[in-house]
């Protein structure tokens, strides 16, 4: 069984430990190292976010070095607060969102796809305050305050192939990625070892997927799917493998090769969660009682035939309201109802995220619900919102799966935790603007604005449903 132990900082000279210094940057063939803007620019493989941490510098910093690694007797670290302050001084104004942080990124090669137990140790002579740990493609593993002394945390991480955005074929992935965020993020020791356990595979759309995070990072201005926050509510016995992607339907998830990855790597005793609907409803052939229902039928039957346990998740509700009378417009109720019907038919759990998210939006209202969505968007959550939605999913797992006679579903419920407490936005959330000094750096998205694209998609949905909002 594969196992690697790393000691960070000054050379420990200890047998069976790999000493890591601040100058150890990841290189192909080396097997481990930090990821910075410098080696990201030099290595094409580090530029594919799904094969890495999914943290990327804001596009206007594409030619800048933001990560300056240091080391001492307690490990390797960077002074994120100092570097962000320098960027703000250079721009002549503070960035919206507080505090913004630069992640400490570390990468380890592993021999094969599968599940790994990752134990991270941080030794600090002073309180670190709020610390975030992400694994894989920006999946939240820990959020909380770390006191002075030694802090050790163990996580379950899945390593699996993926079809990256913009590509039409499967890319192999055999690396474990760790991201630590704090005012002064630090890694003192790290152990990566293979483990045998079930896996939760996720199949879905943009509201579920592992979204990238721009840095200097602030959780309110990153798109985020609830799937990448689900590990925060599962213990170290159950890793998550997320194959959801933006724009996918129950049809294209299969046709574009994402389901093939799950078929290849899932084993009897594993789980597959399905949450679709947002894009299916835009196509006449994939309406709730038509192709959507038929495709879910097929997935369920195929999973059960292979000893894999299907779980349906009703689609997350949008923050959409009729303009004419300010009443709530539920665009996905029919799709949620089909999930509930299929659950009863096949006697499988249905996690009613639609009901929970709709209740939240109705309770808060249009304006007060906005802080958990990406600024200006009413479909896609930010990190705060995705964490909240993942909490609803975990609550549903605990409630719906614990009573099943099939041991596998009961085990799923046993692995659910309470998460890391409340994580709420404070104040107004604004997307950073490109500083004037970087005015000549072109936006790689060109003239396309994500918000206007989202609005166009919503307009298509409303036209399909023949809803008159004015």
């Amino acid at each position: 069984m594969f196992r690697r132990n790393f000691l960070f900082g000054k050379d420990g000279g200890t047998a069976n430990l790999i000493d890591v210094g601040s100058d150890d940057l990841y290189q192909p063939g080396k097997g481990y190292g930090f990821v910075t803007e410098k080696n990201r620019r030099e290595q094409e493989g580090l530029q594919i976010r799904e094969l890495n941490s999914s943290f990327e510098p804001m596009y206007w910093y594409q030619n800048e070095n933001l990560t300056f690694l240091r080391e001492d007797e307690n490990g390797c670290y960077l002074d994120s607060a100092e570097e962000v302050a320098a960027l703000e001084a250079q721009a002549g104004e503070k960035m919206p969102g507080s505090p913004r942080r630069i992640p400490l990124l570390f990468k380890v090669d592993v021999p094969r796809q599968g599940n790994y137990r990752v134990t991270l140790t941080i030794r600090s002579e002073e309180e670190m305050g709020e610390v975030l740990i992400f694994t894989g493609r920006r999946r939240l593993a820990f959020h909380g305050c770390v006191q002075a002394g030694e802090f050790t945390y163990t996580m379950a991480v899945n390593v699996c192939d993926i079809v990256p955005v913009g590509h039409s074929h499967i890319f192999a992935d055999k690396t474990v990625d760790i991201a630590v965020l704090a005012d002064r993020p630090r890694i003192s020791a790290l152990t990566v070892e293979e483990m045998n356990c079930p896996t939760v595979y996720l199949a879905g759309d943009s509201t579920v997927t592992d979204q990238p995070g721009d840095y200097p990072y602030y959780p309110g201005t990153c798109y985020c799917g609830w799937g990448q926050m689900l590990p925060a509510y599962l213990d170290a016995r159950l890793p998550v493998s997320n194959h959801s992607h933006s724009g996918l339907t129950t049809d294209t998830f299969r046709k574009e090769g994402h389901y093939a990855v799950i078929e290849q790597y899932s084993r009897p005793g594993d789980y597959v969660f399905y949450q679709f609907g947002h894009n299916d409803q835009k196509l006449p052939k994939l309406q709730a009682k038509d192709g959507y229902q038929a495709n879910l039928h097929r997935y369920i039957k195929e999973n059960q035939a292979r000893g894999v346990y299907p779980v349906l998740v009703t689609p997350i509700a949008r923050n959409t309201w009729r303009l004419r009378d300010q009443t709530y417009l539920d665009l996905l109720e029919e799709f949620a109802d089909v999930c509930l019907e299929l659950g009863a038919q096949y006697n499988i759990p249905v996690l009613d995220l639609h009901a929970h998210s709709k209740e939240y939006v109705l309770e808060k209202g249009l304006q007060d619900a906005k802080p958990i969505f990406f600024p200006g968007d009413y479909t896609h959550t930010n990190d705060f919102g995705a964490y909240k939605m993942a909490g609803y999913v975990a609550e549903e797992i605990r409630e719906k799966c614990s009573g099943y006679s099939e041991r596998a579903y009961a085990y799923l419920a046993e692995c659910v935790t309470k998460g890391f407490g409340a994580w709420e936005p404070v104040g107004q959330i604004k997307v950073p603007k490109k500083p004037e000094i970087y005015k000549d750096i072109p936006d790689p998205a060109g003239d396309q604005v994500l918000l206007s694209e989202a609005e166009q998609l919503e307009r298509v949905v409303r036209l399909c449903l023949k809803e008159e909002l004015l």
Side-chain angles (χ1 to χ4, degrees):
M1 295 283 282
F2 174 85
R3 180 186 173 98
R4 291 289 183 274
N5 300 304
F6 299 90
L7 181 66
F8 293 74
K10 293 186 177 180
D11 188 350
T14 305
N16 300 320
L17 289 177
I18 299 172
D19 293 309
V20 181
S22 57
D23 58 348
D24 280 312
L25 300 188
Y26 180 83
Q27 296 287 341
K30 183 175 183 176
Y32 63 91
F34 292 103
V35 176
T36 68
E37 299 75 31
K38 182 179 183 298
N39 59 341
R40 186 197 302 271
R41 288 192 295 268
E42 295 170 349
Q43 300 176 43
E44 186 176 349
L46 295 181
Q47 297 167 21
I48 301 176
R49 64 174 178 82
E50 289 91 348
L51 302 183
N52 298 288
S53 67
S54 281
F55 276 101
E56 301 172 332
M58 295 172 183
Y59 75 85
W60 50 84
Y61 294 129
Q62 59 184 295
N63 297 317
E64 301 280 359
N65 291 328
L66 308 183
T67 303
F68 298 94
L69 297 163
R70 309 175 190 182
E71 64 181 84
D72 59 22
E73 63 277 6
N74 289 321
C76 295
Y77 68 98
L78 61 88
D79 196 326
S80 173
E82 178 183 272
E83 297 306 329
V84 171
L87 293 174
E88 292 176 331
Q90 181 186 54
E93 60 180 343
K94 291 186 69 65
M95 299 180 193
S98 177
R100 284 191 171 270
R101 285 147 171 187
I102 296 170
L104 179 61
L105 307 175
F106 192 75
K107 190 177 191 68
V108 179
D109 289 349
V110 292
R112 62 191 64 87
Q113 294 83 352
N115 295 324
Y116 292 83
R117 181 180 294 107
V118 177
T119 301
L120 175 71
T121 299
I122 299 173
R123 288 187 294 273
S124 178
E125 295 178 1
E126 56 187 24
E127 181 180 333
M128 294 182 66
E130 182 189 50
V131 173
L132 294 160
I133 302 173
F134 292 86
T135 63
R137 298 157 192 147
R138 212 173 75 82
R139 297 179 200 137
L140 183 64
F142 175 82
H143 172 238
C145 291
V146 173
Q147 305 300 317
E150 183 168 296
F151 168 80
T152 298
Y153 194 74
T154 299
M155 305 152 278
V157 177
N158 176 264
V159 175
C160 192
D161 299 346
I162 194 78
V163 180
V165 171
H167 296 273
S168 57
H169 65 280
I170 298 170
F171 280 63
D173 186 8
K174 292 192 287 185
T175 63
V176 168
D177 290 273
I178 303 293
V180 182
L181 293 102
D183 288 342
R184 298 183 76 190
R186 174 185 295 272
I187 303 178
S188 302
L190 184 72
T191 297
V192 178
E193 55 187 326
E194 278 186 281
M195 63 183 295
N196 292 317
C197 62
T199 305
V200 173
Y201 291 91
L202 303 181
D205 52 36
S206 58
T207 63
V208 190
T209 190
D210 294 337
Q211 300 275 16
D214 289 341
Y215 68 85
Y217 163 83
Y218 176 66
T221 54
C222 289
Y223 282 103
C224 189
W226 62 258
Q228 66 194 111
M229 292 289 163
L230 186 59
Y233 294 93
L234 298 174
D235 65 28
R237 293 176 292 171
L238 199 59
V240 171
S241 186
N242 194 353
H243 298 272
S244 311
H245 275 296
S246 298
L248 290 183
T249 66
T250 52
D251 195 30
T252 55
F253 186 78
R254 184 186 297 272
K255 289 181 177 178
E256 294 183 9
H258 309 285
Y259 186 59
V261 179
I262 294 178
E263 284 191 302
Q264 178 179 352
Y265 289 105
S266 60
R267 298 291 182 263
D270 289 341
Y271 310 89
V272 186
F273 287 28
Y274 296 92
Q275 190 230 265
F276 292 97
H278 286 84
N279 301 305
D280 294 73
Q281 69 177 180
K282 300 164 190 172
L283 301 172
K285 68 175 183 178
L286 294 178
Q287 292 306 295
K289 291 288 189 178
D290 194 3
Y292 174 81
Q293 184 181 55
N295 287 335
L296 289 180
H297 266 294
R298 183 179 175 187
Y299 286 128
I300 293 168
K301 290 178 179 177
E302 289 174 349
N303 290 163
Q304 291 180 331
R306 298 179 58 245
V308 175
Y309 293 88
V311 177
L312 298 182
V313 185
T314 60
I316 182 175
R318 294 179 172 98
N319 188 23
T320 45
W321 300 74
R322 291 181 176 85
L323 298 180
R324 61 173 180 261
D325 58 8
Q326 295 300 302
T327 57
Y328 182 71
L329 174 60
D330 191 341
L331 297 169
L332 292 154
E333 183 176 20
E334 189 177 6
F335 290 82
D337 288 343
V338 165
C339 291
L340 295 170
E341 292 168 8
L342 288 172
Q345 178 180 343
Y346 286 98
N347 190 30
I348 62 173
V350 179
L351 314 179
D352 201 353
L353 178 58
H354 185 75
H356 282 279
S357 52
K358 179 180 175 179
E359 181 181 0
Y360 177 85
V361 169
L362 288 173
E363 178 185 342
K364 293 291 185 179
L366 173 62
Q367 295 302 323
D368 288 346
K370 284 183 177 181
I372 71 164
F373 292 88
F374 187 86
D377 199 316
Y378 36 76
T379 296
H380 302 95
T381 52
N382 55 26
D383 284 16
F384 294 121
Y387 178 77
K388 183 179 291 293
M389 296 303 121
Y392 292 145
V393 171
E395 182 181 333
E396 284 284 289
I397 293 173
R398 189 185 298 110
E399 179 182 333
K400 301 291 177 61
C401 294
S402 58
Y404 266 80
S405 56
E406 292 182 70
R407 174 60 188 156
Y409 286 128
Y411 179 79
L412 180 60
E414 291 171 8
C415 293
V416 171
T417 72
K418 295 181 179 179
F420 303 109
W423 194 25
E424 301 284 349
V426 177
Q428 190 174 11
I429 298 175
K430 293 183 179 179
V431 177
K433 294 181 180 179
K434 178 168 59 177
E436 182 65 22
I437 59 173
Y438 295 109
K439 63 181 180 180
D440 295 329
I441 302 293
D443 185 341
D447 296 329
Q448 181 181 10
V449 178
L450 289 176
L451 174 58
S452 64
E453 179 185 9
E455 289 175 336
Q456 291 168 9
L457 292 175
E458 296 291 352
R459 192 174 298 116
V460 170
V461 173
R462 292 169 181 175
L463 289 173
C464 288
L465 296 177
K466 297 180 181 179
E467 285 283 355
E468 178 56 60
L469 302 183
L470 300 176

